[in-house]
Amino acid sequence: MKLNMAEEEDYMSDSFVNVQEDIRPGLPMLRQIREARRKEEKQQEANLKNRQKSLKEEEQERRDTGLKNALGCENKGFALLQKMGYKSGQALGKSGGGIIEPIPLNVKTGKSGIGHEALLKRKAEEKLESYRRKIHMKNQAEEKAAVQFRMRLKNKQDEMKLEGDLKRSQRACQQLDTQKNIQVPREAWYWLRPEEETEEEEEEKEEDEDEYKSEDLSVLEKLQILTSYLREEHLYCIWCGTAYEDKEDLSSNCPGPTSADHD
């Protein structure tokens, strides 16, 4: 009795009291999760082993196994071919130009009629072609819109440049005419109109409205006429910014009468 009690461990001894338990936060939950996953995996493996295969799956397996194996001498058709001189791996035909492998077997598993899959394929191709055509037309429209926008922007910039050149020409014409004591411009639009006018000049403004109107001439036409006048009358080129001594000096040192000639 004493021996048995000695063999039994004392539950009040240090070996039981001083045991340090692993009490890290979340550790018991992690262990439970791992154990649950392990049990689930084992259950899935057992279900796969015990699951009874369906008739279609069994037929598919038997078909795949049969197609993987080459025909042997026990096959009557293969035996007849051998009697006629055919050897395994040889191409069919008298000259040996036929097929070597048998025609693949395509099993139809759906309930649709013959030709339905081809119809679906054709419709899918038509739908894809229609989608590509729409994308192409959309890209063309976007590209055309971008080109038109760039053209409008370029035309706007060119128009602003022409207006700036015309104002410079009008300003230069007014200064050069004034230096020659010319009090009235040859045409009303040759000079810049004063931006600020007094109330007394309002009536004169209305009277001279027709003189300043030159809507029949474009900005480019005005610029061409005015630059020609400056070159002939004052020997001045607005793009060179120089008044030349005589016509010979103008023709020899000035690149030309247009802005493009000075680029």
Side-chain angles (χ1 to χ4, degrees):
M1 185 69 178
K2 291 182 179 180
L3 182 61
N4 292 336
M5 291 181 64
E7 291 178 354
E8 293 179 359
E9 294 183 359
D10 187 5
Y11 290 100
M12 298 300 293
S13 64
D14 293 339
S15 60
F16 282 91
V17 174
N18 296 330
V19 171
Q20 295 181 357
E21 296 183 357
D22 192 353
I23 55 173
R24 286 177 291 176
L27 188 61
M29 183 63 68
L30 291 175
R31 288 175 179 171
Q32 293 177 5
I33 293 172
R34 291 197 193 98
E35 188 65 27
R37 287 180 179 175
R38 195 177 299 110
K39 289 181 180 180
E40 185 178 356
E41 291 174 358
K42 288 182 179 180
Q43 186 65 33
Q44 289 177 356
E45 291 177 0
N47 291 339
L48 288 174
K49 290 179 180 179
N50 299 328
R51 186 174 66 89
Q52 186 176 3
K53 295 181 180 179
S54 64
L55 183 61
K56 289 184 178 180
E57 290 177 344
E58 292 179 357
E59 290 179 354
Q60 181 69 28
E61 288 183 359
R62 289 197 299 269
R63 189 185 304 115
D64 293 340
T65 304
L67 292 175
K68 288 179 182 178
N69 298 328
L71 294 177
C73 299
E74 67 278 359
N75 185 274
K76 293 182 179 180
F78 187 75
L80 289 173
L81 287 174
Q82 282 184 326
K83 288 180 181 181
M84 291 187 293
Y86 176 77
K87 295 180 181 180
S88 181
Q90 181 182 353
L92 297 179
K94 185 177 180 180
S95 59
I99 62 174
I100 299 176
E101 296 294 332
I103 298 174
L105 178 64
N106 295 322
V107 180
K108 189 174 182 303
T109 57
K111 296 182 180 180
S112 59
I114 298 174
H116 183 68
E117 294 180 358
L119 178 63
L120 293 178
K121 183 179 180 181
R122 187 172 70 253
K123 287 185 177 180
E125 290 176 353
E126 291 176 354
K127 186 176 181 181
L128 179 61
E129 183 64 25
S130 176
Y131 174 75
R132 289 175 177 173
R133 192 160 49 248
K134 288 181 181 179
I135 293 297
H136 181 66
M137 293 175 63
K138 181 181 178 182
N139 293 337
Q140 281 187 334
E142 290 178 353
E143 184 177 355
K144 184 178 180 181
V147 171
Q148 291 177 350
F149 173 75
R150 287 194 293 268
M151 289 296 296
R152 289 196 300 269
L153 185 61
K154 185 177 183 303
N155 292 336
K156 184 67 175 178
Q157 292 175 347
D158 293 342
E159 184 179 352
M160 292 175 63
K161 185 176 183 301
L162 289 175
E163 290 178 354
D165 291 342
L166 179 61
K167 286 183 180 180
R168 286 196 299 123
S169 301
Q170 289 172 328
R171 192 177 297 108
C173 180
Q174 186 173 0
Q175 292 176 355
L176 293 172
D177 284 349
T178 304
Q179 290 176 4
K180 285 190 174 183
N181 295 324
I182 299 175
Q183 302 298 326
V184 179
R186 182 177 293 183
E187 296 289 342
W189 55 269
Y190 274 27
W191 290 6
L192 282 173
R193 290 186 60 181
E195 296 179 358
E196 297 180 358
E197 296 178 348
T198 59
E199 296 180 357
E200 297 177 355
E201 295 174 339
E202 284 294 329
E203 295 180 359
E204 296 180 3
K205 173 185 174 183
E206 294 177 358
E207 293 176 358
D208 298 339
E209 191 71 27
D210 294 335
E211 296 181 5
Y212 280 97
K213 281 185 178 179
S214 56
E215 295 179 355
D216 53 335
L217 295 176
S218 64
V219 177
L220 179 60
E221 291 172 339
K222 289 181 182 180
L223 181 62
Q224 291 173 346
I225 295 171
L226 188 53
T227 51
S228 298
Y229 170 77
L230 291 172
R231 293 174 70 88
E232 294 173 2
E233 186 69 23
H234 300 289
L235 302 176
Y236 180 79
C237 175
I238 63 165
W239 292 289
C240 294
T242 304
Y244 294 91
E245 295 179 358
D246 50 31
K247 290 185 177 181
E248 183 178 355
D249 186 20
L250 176 64
S251 60
S252 59
N253 294 320
C254 180
T258 63
S259 176
D261 296 330
H262 294 73
D263 291 341

